Amino acid sequence: MSVTPLLLVHPGTHGVAMYGRQMADAVRAADPTIRTVEPHDLEDDDRAPLHVHFTDRLWGRSPEEAAQTFGDLAAGRAISVTLHDVPQASDGERNLPRRRAAYAAVAAAARGVAVNSDHERALLREERVWTGPAVSIPLPVELRPEVPRTPADESIGVLGYFYPGKGHDEAARAAASAGITRMTVLGRASDGHAAELEEFVRRAGALGVEVDVTGWLDDEEIARRGRAVSVPVIAHRHVSASGSLASWIGWGRRPVAVRNRYMDEMAALRPGTVQTVDGSELATAVRAAFERPETTWHGLIRLPMSWPDAAEAYVRWWGGLAW
């Protein structure tokens, strides 16, 4: 029997919560009969199948609490799950075992497991989280040609919440080596990391790079600012799937990105939309892009894996699960 689950959506500004709501909107655009529900509206006697988006930081104050919350929910109904922020070595010696155990418990309790890249699917096996079937549905990109270009602001830009490992220090060092004195942080500090953001701004200043932290911006303003930076840069050390990359591409930008398995996968999925370089070459690539701004725009009008494409992939996957 083909089943389409009820879609659990979380409120708030957490990136995974926002993505879950956007994906639910895309799925409901394809099939308006599909329902969504927020956690506080779930009824104890409702046993309808459910699809959720899971990252431990959204589901609990600790990996253990997050896994327990998910397990309690899965004990009473069939659940499929999209895993985000998959555990990996950059979590550190203390957090990796805890996150690995939490994600393993979640995957084992679900009727179906999805991730957002083949890279993450490989991580599940490599980190001994899950060796069963998992579907890969890439993060979709929505091109926004209606957002006008603005004059380049002579800065490099890093997009998304600030947290250690997001690549801000690497970008600042590359800018300094490239002789670029301005950097734009498009976003705010992730919860609990405000002091570390202030420390980063001081470190960058010591390198001769002035940092402008925009704080939280609405969709229209962040798109405008993202199209204004001279060189978009992605230099994550902790790589799961990158909503930042999807946003840059959607705004028409072609970021310079430190090469890794995920970036190589996305470069192959959407040729011409990202320039991947080894970390040792980042400063040289940033300087070259700064001097040739046309290389920081991809100029494409159609791309694989749009929001409707991703929504259809989910519906097909749900239809094949053994609920």
Side-chain angles (χ1 to χ4, degrees):
M1 179 179 65
S2 179
V3 172
T4 301
L6 185 66
L7 308 181
L8 182 70
V9 294
H10 284 81
T13 59
H14 190 287
V16 171
M18 295 171 64
Y19 176 74
R21 295 196 300 270
Q22 288 176 296
M23 183 54 69
D25 289 343
V27 170
R28 294 189 72 249
D31 184 350
T33 68
I34 297 172
R35 296 184 298 132
T36 63
V37 63
E38 293 191 5
H40 59 79
D41 289 328
L42 276 173
E43 298 179 359
D44 292 340
D45 59 352
D46 184 354
R47 293 295 181 262
L50 199 65
H51 181 76
V52 308
H53 292 265
F54 180 89
T55 179
D56 52 320
R57 294 166 184 85
L58 180 63
W59 281 69
R61 291 167 294 183
S62 68
E64 295 81 7
E65 182 181 87
Q68 183 64 54
T69 301
F70 181 93
D72 291 345
L73 190 61
R77 67 175 75 222
I79 297 182
S80 63
V81 62
T82 300
L83 299 175
H84 298 265
D85 305 318
V86 174
Q88 55 190 281
S90 57
D91 286 318
E93 292 183 4
R94 177 177 181 273
N95 283 329
L96 178 57
R98 298 172 65 206
R99 298 191 74 237
R100 182 190 288 138
Y103 276 67
V106 167
R111 298 294 179 90
V113 174
V115 288
N116 297 294
S117 63
D118 293 343
H119 159 67
E120 291 169 302
R121 185 161 54 185
L123 274 178
L124 294 180
R125 297 190 300 271
E126 292 163 0
E127 295 297 339
R128 304 185 303 282
V129 170
W130 177 244
T131 59
V135 66
S136 171
I137 302 176
L139 297 178
V141 167
E142 177 185 7
L143 286 172
R144 297 191 58 192
E146 78 281 2
V147 180
R149 291 195 191 188
T150 56
D153 65 8
E154 305 298 305
S155 78
I156 68 164
V158 176
L159 174 63
Y161 288 103
F162 174 91
Y163 54 83
K166 185 64 181 287
H168 292 80
D169 278 288
E170 289 82 353
R173 288 194 294 268
S177 296
I180 300 169
T181 60
R182 296 184 60 201
M183 177 174 177
T184 302
V185 174
L186 291 152
R188 65 171 179 84
S190 185
D191 292 345
H193 296 294
E196 289 162 301
L197 175 55
E198 293 177 0
E199 292 170 4
F200 161 71
V201 171
R202 288 193 289 271
R203 286 196 302 274
L207 295 172
V209 178
E210 178 185 356
V211 178
D212 174 18
V213 180
T214 68
W216 176 260
L217 300 173
D218 63 26
D219 289 348
E220 182 177 347
E221 182 62 10
I222 201 169
R224 186 190 71 80
R225 292 292 301 268
R227 289 171 69 90
V229 301
S230 292
V231 185
V233 176
I234 301 175
H236 299 38
R237 292 199 302 274
H238 182 101
V239 180
S240 193
S242 176
S244 299
L245 175 61
S247 293
W248 284 125
I249 295 171
W251 300 332
R253 304 308 303 266
R254 179 174 176 261
V256 177
V258 173
R259 185 177 183 184
N260 53 52
R261 185 168 62 187
Y262 177 75
M263 290 300 168
D264 285 347
E265 181 183 344
M266 293 300 103
L269 175 65
R270 301 183 180 103
T273 59
V274 57
Q275 179 188 355
T276 59
V277 299
D278 291 336
S280 61
E281 300 171 348
L282 183 60
T284 300
V286 165
R287 184 67 215 180
F290 191 81
E291 293 175 349
R292 297 184 58 209
E294 68 276 8
T295 66
T296 70
W297 298 87
H298 59 68
L300 302 174
I301 59 174
R302 293 179 63 86
L303 291 171
M305 193 50 66
S306 64
W307 283 96
D309 294 336
E312 291 172 7
Y314 268 107
V315 172
R316 287 195 302 271
W317 176 58
W318 290 323
L321 290 181
W323 294 99

